[in-house]
Amino acid sequence: MRVVFMGTPDFSVPVLTAIIGHGYEVVAVYSQPPRAAGRRGLELTKTPVHQKAEEFGIPVFTPKSLRSEEEQQKFRELEADVAIVVAYGLLLPLPILEGTRLGCYNGHASLLPRWRGAAPIQRAIMAGDKETGMMIMKMDEGLDTGPVAMVEKVAITENMTTGELHDKLSMTGADLMIRALGALERESLALREQEEDGVLYAAKIDKAEARIDWSKPAVTVHNTIRGLSPFPGSWCEMEIGGKVERVKILRSHLAEGSGAAGTILDDKLTIACGEGAVQLLTLQRAGGKALQASEFLRGVADLRVL
């Protein structure tokens, strides 16, 4: 089959690589335009999918929008059998959705209809979900509302971070998409409509959510820390040697103990929350590298959590 692949971040790369590795003809890749990067923001950096496609010599298109007739005609002229979409980041108008012989299929990182939208991995962990998964769905004009073709569930363990779940779901999605393409080729891919109950939207992470509120229950604090690790990273202010600094907290676990919210309870960085406590395991000072708590404590004096 002639395939158009549409994706942007690292999460999408294993799916593209698997499609190529299984012998499908990828006639074009669509990705977000290069972004300013570097210390001064002067260098334009291609997306991970863009870079991977170029390694394989596949043409890459980076339109800012797909709403113009010109872009839609260019898409139709590829004469693709199917479009595969994984974390692309642009809305697909109806002419694009109908611009291939078999339609557009999306690899989405949640158990739809729970966590439709932009940040399903983070939201699942922050909500304390015990499982999530990858779903292959045929796209329609709604936001992740199309009928589902395949699903693979993945357990979320108590201390799993978004980074760890991201990598597991990415590889799961690659395998699932290959199975879906095979069934589509055999004309045996069955679709079922999504449930009407249980719809939740995974809104983009707001910067304000990253600041740790020690007055919340420990389980909420812990879920927020792991849900935002490694990016953007939960943070709090600490007074270190009389100077207030912003410190990222990248890993924690639930711990025994109680006290006034934000109180350091022991020499292992156990912090009291509104209910219960968490032990901080991995921390990062501004401009520094991530450190285990024992290493972090060796470099600080007169520590106080604010």
Side-chain angles (χ1 to χ4, degrees), residues 32 65-67 88-93 96-97 139 141-143:
Q32 289 278 330
S65 170
L66 292 166
R67 296 195 177 280
Y88 177 33
L90 282 186
L91 292 175
L92 304 189
I96 298 293
L97 295 172
M139 298 176 71
E141 289 187 278
L143 178 63

Side-chain angles (χ1 to χ4, degrees), residues 61-204:
F61 302 119
T62 59
K64 293 182 179 179
S65 170
L66 292 166
R67 296 195 177 280
S68 72
E69 175 57 36
E70 180 183 359
E71 287 294 342
Q72 293 166 9
Q73 181 60 29
K74 183 190 296 184
F75 185 85
R76 286 191 292 267
E77 288 174 355
L78 294 169
E79 297 182 341
D81 294 302
V82 64
I84 300 301
V85 184
V86 183
Y88 177 33
L90 282 186
L91 292 175
L92 304 189
L94 189 60
I96 298 293
L97 295 172
E98 296 178 344
T100 66
R101 182 172 65 89
L102 298 171
C104 298
Y105 286 81
N106 180 34
H108 184 76
S110 81
L111 299 178
L112 294 167
R114 186 174 178 85
W115 304 129
R116 292 173 178 171
I121 300 175
Q122 292 95 327
R123 293 299 177 189
I125 290 182
M126 291 170 74
D129 291 0
K130 302 302 182 185
E131 68 174 6
T132 185
M134 283 297 299
M135 279 189 159
I136 308 300
M137 52 166 281
K138 187 171 185 180
M139 298 176 71
D140 59 19
E141 289 187 278
L143 178 63
D144 300 325
T145 55
V148 172
M150 285 186 172
V151 59
E152 187 78 33
K153 293 183 177 181
V154 171
I156 303 176
T157 57
E158 183 181 22
N159 295 313
M160 181 179 275
T161 66
T162 280
E164 292 164 342
L165 183 56
H166 168 284
D167 293 349
K168 189 173 184 65
L169 287 171
S170 181
M171 299 309 297
T172 299
D175 175 69
L176 195 64
M177 189 63 78
I178 293 303
R179 287 157 50 195
L181 279 171
L184 193 62
E185 220 172 2
R186 297 188 301 271
E187 300 182 355
S188 62
L189 188 65
L191 298 173
R192 61 172 176 81
E193 296 299 322
Q194 291 186 35
E195 299 290 336
E196 294 184 4
D197 295 331
V199 174
L200 276 179
Y201 289 94
K204 288 183 180 180

Side-chain angles (χ1 to χ4, degrees), residues 1-3 18-26 178 181-183 185:
M1 289 195 295
R2 290 171 60 83
V3 177
I19 291 170
I20 295 168
H22 280 76
Y24 291 101
E25 182 185 2
V26 181
I178 293 303
L181 279 171
E185 220 172 2

Side-chain angles (χ1 to χ4, degrees), residues 179-305:
R179 287 157 50 195
L181 279 171
L184 193 62
E185 220 172 2
R186 297 188 301 271
E187 300 182 355
S188 62
L189 188 65
L191 298 173
R192 61 172 176 81
E193 296 299 322
Q194 291 186 35
E195 299 290 336
E196 294 184 4
D197 295 331
V199 174
L200 276 179
Y201 289 94
K204 288 183 180 180
I205 302 299
D206 188 282
K207 288 182 179 179
E209 296 179 82
R211 181 164 190 167
I212 297 171
D213 182 352
W214 301 110
S215 69
K216 292 185 176 179
V219 66
T220 301
V221 172
H222 175 58
N223 289 343
T224 300
I225 289 170
R226 63 195 186 100
L228 299 182
S229 177
F231 184 82
S234 292
W235 62 273
C236 68
E237 288 184 335
M238 293 185 176
E239 186 178 307
I240 303 173
K243 180 183 176 182
V244 176
E245 296 185 30
R246 179 185 290 202
V247 179
K248 282 188 178 181
I249 314 300
L250 299 175
R251 193 176 288 274
S252 64
H253 65 60
L254 296 174
E256 297 292 329
S258 62
T263 302
I264 300 175
L265 299 177
D266 57 25
D267 60 0
K268 296 181 180 179
L269 275 184
T270 301
I271 313 296
C273 300
E275 179 182 314
V278 296
Q279 184 181 350
L280 308 185
L281 302 179
T282 307
L283 305 90
Q284 184 177 19
R285 295 170 76 171
K289 63 179 182 178
L291 298 173
Q292 299 300 309
S294 57
E295 296 177 273
F296 176 85
L297 287 171
R298 281 200 292 270
V300 304
D302 301 322
L303 178 65
R304 189 163 67 94
V305 176

